[in-house]
Amino acid sequence: SSSSLSPSPRPAPGAPCLSCTEGRRTGHSTPSHGVSLFFAAEYSCEYGSLKFYALCGVGGVLSCGLTHTGVVPLDLVKCRMQVDPQKYKSIFNGFSVTIKEDGLCKFGFYEVFKILYGNMLGEENAYLWRTSLYLAASASAEFFADIALAPMEAAKVRIQTQPGYANTLRQALPKMFAEEGIWAFYKGVAPLWMRQIPYTMMKFACFERTVEALYKYVVPKPRSECTKGEQLVVTFVAGYIAGVFCAIVSHPADSVVSVLNKEKGSSASQVLMRLGFRGVWKGLFARIIMIGTLTALQWFIYDSVKVYFRLPRPPPPEMPESLKKKLGLTE
């Protein structure tokens, strides 16, 4: 019955509470005392606790830090091969920023907002509107992540575009503040939102729904019967598919941004008109391979960290029993 589902903390939109999953699977309405003890021993913290969010943040830092480290050698090889710099930029520009920003703020905030909005909607609506829930949670996470990271991004751009201005963030940040005040750090936040929010919404929502679809239509057995290794393979595949969509969604904006960075004084609308429809999609295939692989690795590392720290990893959402009764799907 629906009373057997724990409303707080909420595992995922429409998903059964972690301690009830076993009971649901074996046909019992409530878990046995032994199962409760088993779950208490299996997880290192409660879903939605401060420790859970903190360790998710650590997972985000590791997933993005390691993938970013992997990109640096490619960066050097590209430069040494003296490939056309504009072509090089079209592949790497935009998501080098994305990789670094995906860490602590984005993954941690996403978990916070997903649980917050899920609890606000209630169990049944959270299941019915789960795609909107993922989109809203990821957009909120990106919004605040960009505010937190805009000063570093602004300083990084200043160091790169004005040789001799400063060598480190520690030198650049106070200098910029003394010259222009707080606005120096946030004048670029709106373009960052325009580029990053659609990317992040696609990254998280597409991943969540792809995981759900893979377990429903592709994986031949329930997630509860899969080993941790098999679950991580599903995570990797879902991450790659999400990465492909991320590349497609963000590519036109990245093409415009790369031209804007090269040509001072041009506006985004002027660049867009000059590039035309074909121009904004140039270099898409290379970015699909690149971002697909990176996004897959990020999700894989993030989920592996959750496994390592024994964090609760809720199964894909299921229709709540109360909703099944309303729809006449149960006797």
Side-chain angles (χ1 to χ4, degrees):
S1 70
S2 59
S3 63
S4 70
L5 298 169
S6 168
S8 179
R10 173 181 225 75
C17 75
L18 288 159
S19 59
C20 297
T21 313
E22 189 69 18
R24 166 92 48 90
R25 200 167 64 241
T26 54
H28 300 299
S29 60
T30 53
S32 68
H33 182 63
V35 170
S36 298
L37 289 174
F38 165 74
F39 274 97
E42 187 183 359
Y43 298 113
S44 64
C45 63
E46 196 178 355
Y47 187 78
S49 64
L50 281 175
K51 183 180 177 183
F52 173 80
Y53 293 135
L55 290 174
C56 284
V58 170
V61 169
L62 286 172
S63 76
C64 301
L66 291 170
T67 49
H68 181 57
T69 306
V71 169
V72 173
L74 291 172
D75 213 332
L76 292 168
V77 170
K78 280 277 186 185
C79 292
R80 284 174 185 166
M81 286 170 66
Q82 296 181 318
V83 176
D84 172 22
Q86 192 53 40
K87 183 183 176 188
Y88 162 79
K89 262 193 149 183
S90 72
I91 296 169
F92 285 87
N93 189 55
F95 78 79
S96 60
V97 176
T98 304
I99 293 161
K100 283 171 276 188
E101 287 178 349
D102 271 342
L104 178 65
C105 292
K106 204 171 294 184
F107 279 92
F109 284 168
Y110 175 70
E111 299 284 1
V112 171
F113 284 114
K114 188 168 79 166
I115 293 171
L116 177 69
Y117 295 159
N119 287 336
M120 285 166 66
L121 285 169
E123 188 178 43
E124 291 180 7
N125 287 331
Y127 175 80
L128 292 170
W129 297 91
R130 60 194 182 281
T131 304
S132 300
L133 175 65
Y134 303 145
L135 291 168
S138 54
S140 301
E142 182 62 57
F143 180 86
F144 289 105
D146 287 349
I147 291 172
L149 293 148
M152 283 176 279
E153 180 62 21
K156 190 193 80 176
V157 169
R158 188 69 64 94
I159 291 165
Q160 289 175 346
T161 56
Q162 293 184 20
Y165 183 81
N167 294 320
T168 62
L169 286 175
R170 193 177 289 180
Q171 290 174 354
L173 291 168
K175 195 172 178 182
M176 288 170 70
F177 183 74
E179 289 171 1
E180 299 176 60
I182 197 76
W183 175 243
F185 304 126
Y186 290 103
K187 57 187 177 187
V189 78
L192 204 57
W193 282 333
M194 287 168 68
R195 188 177 70 196
Q196 294 298 105
I197 288 175
Y199 175 96
T200 302
M201 288 168 78
M202 184 61 73
K203 175 176 178 168
F204 284 89
C206 185
F207 173 79
E208 296 270 19
R209 290 310 300 253
T210 304
V211 167
E212 193 180 329
L214 287 173
Y215 280 115
K216 192 172 181 181
Y217 301 111
V218 180
V219 180
K221 55 186 176 181
R223 179 183 183 266
S224 54
E225 293 172 20
C226 295
T227 64
K228 293 282 196 292
E230 288 167 342
Q231 290 176 12
L232 289 172
V233 169
V234 173
T235 297
F236 184 86
V237 172
Y240 207 103
I241 293 167
V244 169
F245 285 101
C246 286
I248 294 166
V249 163
S250 64
H251 194 70
D254 276 336
S255 298
V256 172
V257 168
S258 64
V259 174
L260 279 174
N261 286 343
K262 193 182 176 190
E263 300 173 9
K264 303 296 177 209
S266 296
S267 70
S269 56
Q270 288 171 337
V271 171
L272 194 59
M273 286 180 71
R274 193 167 72 251
L275 285 174
F277 182 79
R278 287 183 68 180
V280 295
W281 294 107
K282 205 172 128 188
L284 176 63
F285 182 72
R287 286 190 76 246
I288 282 176
I289 300 298
M290 203 77 185
I291 295 186
T293 307
L294 278 167
T295 308
L297 286 170
Q298 284 177 6
W299 278 114
F300 182 81
I301 295 166
Y302 181 63
D303 215 21
S304 299
V305 170
K306 282 185 164 183
V307 170
Y308 177 78
F309 285 124
R310 296 188 298 115
L311 298 185
R313 295 161 61 246
E318 293 176 24
M319 186 180 288
E321 291 296 322
S322 55
L323 192 58
K324 285 181 184 176
K325 283 185 177 177
K326 282 182 186 176
L327 298 173
L329 298 174
T330 55
E331 291 178 16

